[in-house]
């Protein structure tokens, strides 16, 4: 490992991003977005529908199938004050699927808007869900950093927490769009292959894919696989510290099926990742395998990938061996799916193990996502971003796309 990424100055990862370059809405047709191609230092451009032509036949492409939930709930107090409760991650039960199935009570870690107006009493909201009149209450519990424990309770066992969010929640679009959520966002801020509810932000590289692009990829002989990483609000958290050592990465929950791990092994531990969330999951798999190589009987807790773990363990086992260790773990425990979490930070100095090419959008200045891209293109991110700025590319979540092949 050549450099210690902890001492990277985030100010070196800045570039001018005028507000008018941030795409406030997507294009009418998703796959007509521009595609920047970066191949071994050379930059060119095309349209997204041409993506399959740039990928080698027989390669493995991996998508994040998470679905954005309508995570913002609004309560109005008798005084007229509006309180926003933004569900970040489930606490009780702490499994997403189980939590969404709850029929009387569910607890979440939440960010709260207009917190100073929420003094003591419960918040209440009358609503009709699936034809049933219910009263939803929210009770604030202990503070955890910038978030709070919130207990939700409702008085009809025919209604699940998923039903409540579906009817009364609001889709949380990124804060930098500086606009309210519109009805159209419910469709355009989901990937066409989204399935597993749990994210509070979309894996935006996937927003460009349409059924015709997915069909064209398969016709080219490219294998398509899915995994799940639930994107947390921390993905928008700016790096405030001068050196990135002072930035605490958020934890995100991942699940990967045995069949996907087998597919990765069949492809010599090499993959094309769609989006930084897929990148972080795939690279985390390698480090989980390293943990299991050292301790085959590691607990689920011990498998969690810590922020700086990749820079502290110098174990150089091949990616295929790391993936085989995970298969062995699943076999020993009678599991079909690996469930764990990752806090990995990928920054210059990181050595990529599994991801050989990535599809990704253009990220905010001074963000951990820009660090991830820089690590992938060996520090050559400015060439890419200068080109995109000079050639009218649209930036951030609803913006254009790039294919990076270092």
């Amino acid at each position: 490992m050549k450099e210690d990424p902890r001492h990277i100055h985030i100010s070196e990862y800045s570039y001018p991003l005028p507000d008018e370059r941030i795409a406030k809405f997507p294009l009418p047709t998703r796959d007509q977005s521009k595609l920047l191609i970066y191949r071994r230092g050379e930059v060119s451009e095309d349209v997204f529908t041409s993506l399959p032509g740039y990928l080698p036949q027989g390669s493995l492409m991996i998508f994040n199938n998470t679905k954005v939930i309508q995570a913002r709930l609004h309560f109005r107090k008798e005084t007229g004050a509006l309180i926003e409760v933004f569900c970040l991650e489930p606490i009780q039960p702490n499994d997403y699927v189980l939590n969404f199935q709850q029929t009387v009570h569910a607890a979440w870690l939440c960010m709260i808007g207009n917190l100073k107006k929420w003094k003591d009493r419960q918040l209440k909201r009358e609503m009709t869900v699936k034809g049933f009149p219910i009263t939803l209450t929210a009770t604030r519990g202990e503070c955890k950093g910038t978030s709070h424990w919130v207990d939700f309770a409702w008085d009809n066992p025919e209604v699940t927490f998923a039903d409540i969010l579906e009817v009364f929640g609001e889709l949380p679009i990124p804060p930098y769009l500086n606009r309210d959520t519109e009805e159209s966002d419910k469709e355009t801020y989901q990937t066409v292959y989204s399935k597993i509810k749990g994210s509070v932000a979309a894996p935006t590289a996937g927003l460009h894919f349409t059924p015709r692009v997915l069909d064209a990829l398969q016709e080219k002989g490219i294998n398509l696989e899915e995994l799940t990483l639930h994107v947390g609000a921390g993905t928008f958290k700016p790096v405030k510290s001068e050196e990135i050592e002072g930035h605490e990465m958020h934890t995100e929950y991942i699940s990967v099926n045995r069949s996907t791990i087998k597919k990765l092994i069949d492809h010599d531990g090499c993959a094309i990742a769609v989006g930084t969330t897929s990148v972080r999951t795939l690279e985390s798999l390698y480090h989980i395998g390293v943990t299991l190589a050292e301790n085959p009987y590691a607990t689920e807790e011990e498998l969690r990938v810590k922020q700086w773990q990749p820079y502290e363990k110098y174990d150089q086992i091949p990616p295929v061996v790391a993936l085989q260790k995970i298969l062995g773990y699943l076999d020993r425990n009678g599991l079909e799916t690996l469930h764990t979490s990752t806090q990995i930070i990928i920054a210059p100095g990181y050595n990529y193990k599994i991801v050989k090419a990535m599809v990704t959008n253009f990220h905010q200045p001074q963000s951990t996502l820009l660090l991830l891209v820089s690590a992938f293109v060996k520090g050559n991110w400015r060439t890419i971003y200068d080109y995109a700025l000079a050639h009218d590319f649209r930036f951030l979540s609803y913006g254009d796309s790039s294919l990076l092949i270092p």
Side-chain angles (χ1 to χ4, degrees):
M1 198 70 56
K2 294 186 294 299
E3 55 185 304
D4 184 347
R6 291 172 217 238
H7 301 306
I8 287 172
H9 286 256
I10 196 64
S11 57
E12 291 166 20
Y13 292 83
S14 197
Y15 68 91
L17 180 59
D19 186 63
E20 63 270 17
R21 302 306 297 275
I22 299 172
K24 300 295 193 290
F25 291 91
L27 295 178
T29 309
R30 293 172 184 250
D31 60 16
Q32 291 306 295
S33 51
K34 285 162 72 119
L35 177 68
L36 181 148
I37 298 101
Y38 172 87
R39 272 192 295 199
R40 292 173 276 285
E42 297 295 314
V43 180
S44 59
E45 67 177 272
D46 206 327
V47 67
F48 194 81
T49 41
S50 305
L51 174 71
Y54 292 96
L55 303 177
Q57 195 170 1
S59 48
L60 176 63
M61 192 168 213
I62 299 204
F63 299 79
N64 181 5
N65 64 12
T66 187
K67 188 166 196 168
V68 185
I69 58 171
Q70 294 178 194
R72 293 181 192 274
L73 287 163
H74 292 100
F75 293 84
R76 194 170 289 285
K77 294 184 66 182
E78 289 124 25
T79 58
L82 190 66
I83 313 256
E84 179 183 277
V85 182
F86 184 172
C87 298
L88 294 180
E89 62 183 78
I91 317 177
Q92 212 175 38
N94 65 1
D95 176 274
Y96 281 87
V97 176
L98 289 178
N99 196 294
F100 290 135
Q101 290 169 351
Q102 293 302 296
T103 56
V104 181
H105 166 267
W108 281 68
L109 195 61
C110 300
M111 280 197 303
I112 295 163
N114 210 4
L115 176 64
K116 61 183 182 297
K117 291 285 170 68
W118 188 358
K119 292 284 194 292
D120 42 17
R121 293 185 23 219
Q122 279 183 337
L123 298 178
K124 278 190 180 177
R125 183 163 173 182
E126 309 286 335
M127 52 179 77
T128 303
V129 181
K130 290 171 38 182
F132 298 106
I134 67 164
T135 302
L136 175 69
T137 63
T139 308
R140 188 165 50 113
E142 63 182 304
C143 178
K144 293 174 175 284
T146 55
S147 310
H148 285 79
W149 177 304
V150 175
D151 285 292
F152 296 102
W154 57 102
D155 53 0
N156 193 313
E158 299 290 323
V159 173
T160 66
F161 192 62
D163 294 332
I164 290 169
L165 290 183
E166 201 64 41
V167 176
F168 279 94
E170 184 182 281
L171 200 77
I173 59 171
Y176 47 64
L177 294 184
N178 286 325
R179 66 172 176 81
D180 290 337
T181 301
E182 299 194 4
E183 190 62 27
S184 60
D185 291 307
K186 286 185 180 179
E187 186 180 338
T188 58
Y189 197 58
Q190 300 281 14
T191 63
V192 296
Y193 47 81
S194 65
K195 293 182 186 68
I196 313 294
K197 291 178 180 176
S199 280
V200 298
T204 54
L207 295 178
H208 306 275
F209 287 84
T210 55
R212 68 175 164 184
V213 173
L214 295 168
D215 289 346
L217 287 164
Q218 288 182 300
E219 281 162 25
K220 175 87 187 271
I222 291 161
N223 293 273
L224 310 183
E225 279 288 321
E226 296 177 357
L227 45 72
T228 307
L229 176 142
H230 288 318
V231 190
T235 193
F236 300 121
K237 189 168 141 193
V239 181
K240 293 278 179 62
S241 53
E242 193 174 316
E243 294 189 347
I244 64 167
E245 184 172 30
H247 180 78
E248 187 186 354
M249 279 296 279
H250 52 292
T251 298
E252 289 175 317
Y253 295 87
I254 60 179
S255 56
V256 185
N257 291 337
R258 167 198 299 272
S259 57
T260 304
I261 292 165
K262 279 187 166 165
K263 244 329 156 43
L264 278 163
I265 292 170
D266 293 344
H267 285 79
D268 295 326
C270 298
I272 300 161
V274 175
T276 55
T277 59
S278 299
V279 170
R280 293 179 67 234
T281 307
L282 288 167
E283 292 299 312
S284 294
L285 288 179
Y286 176 81
H287 299 290
I288 290 164
V290 169
T291 299
L292 286 166
E294 292 174 358
N295 176 12
Y297 297 96
T299 62
E300 188 177 317
E301 181 62 36
E302 289 167 330
L303 293 185
R304 292 176 172 225
V305 181
K306 309 292 189 295
Q307 178 164 341
W308 300 106
Q309 185 174 323
Y311 311 93
E312 291 163 348
K313 294 190 175 185
Y314 298 104
D315 199 310
Q316 291 298 310
I317 63 173
V320 166
V321 173
L323 293 162
Q324 285 166 338
K325 297 293 180 192
I326 297 174
L327 270 191
Y329 167 83
L330 294 176
D331 289 342
R332 280 192 303 280
N333 292 282
L335 300 171
E336 274 305 305
T337 307
L338 173 73
H339 288 286
T340 183
S341 63
T342 183
Q343 205 185 355
I344 193 171
I345 186 167
I346 297 179
Y350 180 82
N351 203 351
Y352 276 84
K353 302 294 188 182
I354 290 174
V355 178
K356 303 303 177 194
M358 80 169 77
V359 176
T360 188
N361 285 16
F362 298 95
H363 306 292
Q364 287 180 289
Q366 299 195 16
S367 63
T368 57
L369 301 181
L370 193 53
L371 293 173
L372 178 152
V373 167
S374 180
F376 194 63
V377 298
K378 309 288 188 283
N380 208 8
W381 68 273
R382 277 194 191 278
T383 303
I384 296 163
Y385 277 66
D386 286 349
Y387 184 98
L389 285 163
H391 291 79
D392 213 29
F393 276 71
R394 299 155 73 249
F395 278 62
L396 308 187
S397 297
Y398 274 144
D400 292 315
S401 189
S402 66
L403 170 64
L404 309 179
I405 305 169

